[in-house]
Amino acid sequence: MCLEKHKVAIRDNNQFLFHFSSCRTLNKITVLEVHGGGKLSPLHIVKMSVVGTVKMVCVGAVALTLSVEWFSWLFRRIWPNGLPGRGPLKEVLFFPTEVACIEHVFNPDSPFPCPCSLPHGVQTSFSRLLAHILSASSSLDVCMFAFTSMSLSRAVLALQTRGVTVRIFTDVAYILITGSQIGAMRKAGICVRSDSGAVHMHHKFAVVDGRRLITGSLNWTMTAIQSNKENVLVTEETDLVQPFIAEFKRLWDVNDPARRHPPSVTEKTDSLDE
């Protein structure tokens, strides 16, 4: 290969060392004649070429890794339950659940592993329930008889921090039970209402973004989650979701404090002993 018609510069440490414009062949080995009286051997050229190639490969590998991580994150954000087009979501969860670390549900993009001693990377019914709740992007309506789970409270408060509109409807007698999270909800600015009827509000359901229903026998308590035999159905079947939306709206409107004065906690507590 002759460089007679091409001027080429060899750069080392950002300094131009050689400028050459001609070549000649000696014993089948190409030697470049460089201005300034020096010569650049083929070995030097190959060495610089290899170093440059290695650098390019390393940069490409880093870029590919970052791209894969970014697309994986984007996929989870857009389709937290898999690809669309497979029909409405339908999932059944059974409890009690295996005790395992749930930090990955709250911080899926954290590069630092949780230091706790619980099993990690385990998907349980409880982690799935948390994931469904945390998938809310605009609204979460909770209609729950008993709410004492700190982990579920953490999930609801996280949504409130993200700007999701949260409403909680509960039984008036259970607002003040030991461990109730209703006080923390109200302190965070979440709107909470309780029933004004003489009987208990025994519903246990939540609606995510007006399209995903979470319902079943499970109270949001650690006893129910870790000890009781319970079930939860998660679905986006419109025919099932809409009646629960209507029921929540009915209860919410009927128990507007501006319209009716709810019964006292003493009245409802007395009915618990019956």
Side-chain angles (χ1 to χ4, degrees), residues 48-64:
M48 289 189 298
S49 177
V50 170
V51 172
T53 301
V54 170
K55 289 181 179 179
M56 291 177 62
V57 170
C58 291
V59 171
V62 171
L64 178 61

Side-chain angles (χ1 to χ4, degrees), residues 65-183:
T65 301
L66 293 176
S67 297
V68 170
E69 290 293 331
W70 185 82
F71 278 112
S72 177
W73 175 86
L74 184 63
F75 181 89
R76 292 195 302 268
R77 291 296 182 184
I78 298 176
W79 299 300
N81 293 288
L83 289 172
R86 299 181 179 179
L89 170 69
K90 294 182 287 290
E91 184 175 4
V92 177
L93 306 174
F94 290 107
F95 294 82
T97 185
E98 178 182 354
V99 179
C101 180
I102 55 175
E103 280 303 309
H104 65 284
V105 182
F106 290 99
N107 301 293
D109 304 317
S110 175
F112 305 106
C114 177
C116 76
S117 60
L118 295 175
H120 291 77
V122 178
Q123 183 167 275
T124 66
S125 291
F126 188 44
S127 67
R128 291 295 302 145
L129 174 61
L130 286 170
H132 284 300
I133 293 170
L134 288 168
S135 70
S137 59
S138 60
S139 67
L140 175 69
D141 290 334
V142 178
C143 192
M144 192 60 51
F145 178 58
F147 186 178
T148 62
S149 168
M150 295 185 67
S151 296
L152 287 166
S153 174
R154 178 184 175 187
V156 174
L157 292 174
L159 294 178
Q160 168 79 354
T161 302
R162 280 169 19 197
V164 174
T165 300
V166 179
R167 298 186 297 178
I168 297 178
F169 190 80
T170 187
D171 186 85
V172 66
Y174 272 74
I175 291 177
L176 300 178
I177 66 172
T178 302
S180 174
Q181 296 298 307
I182 298 302

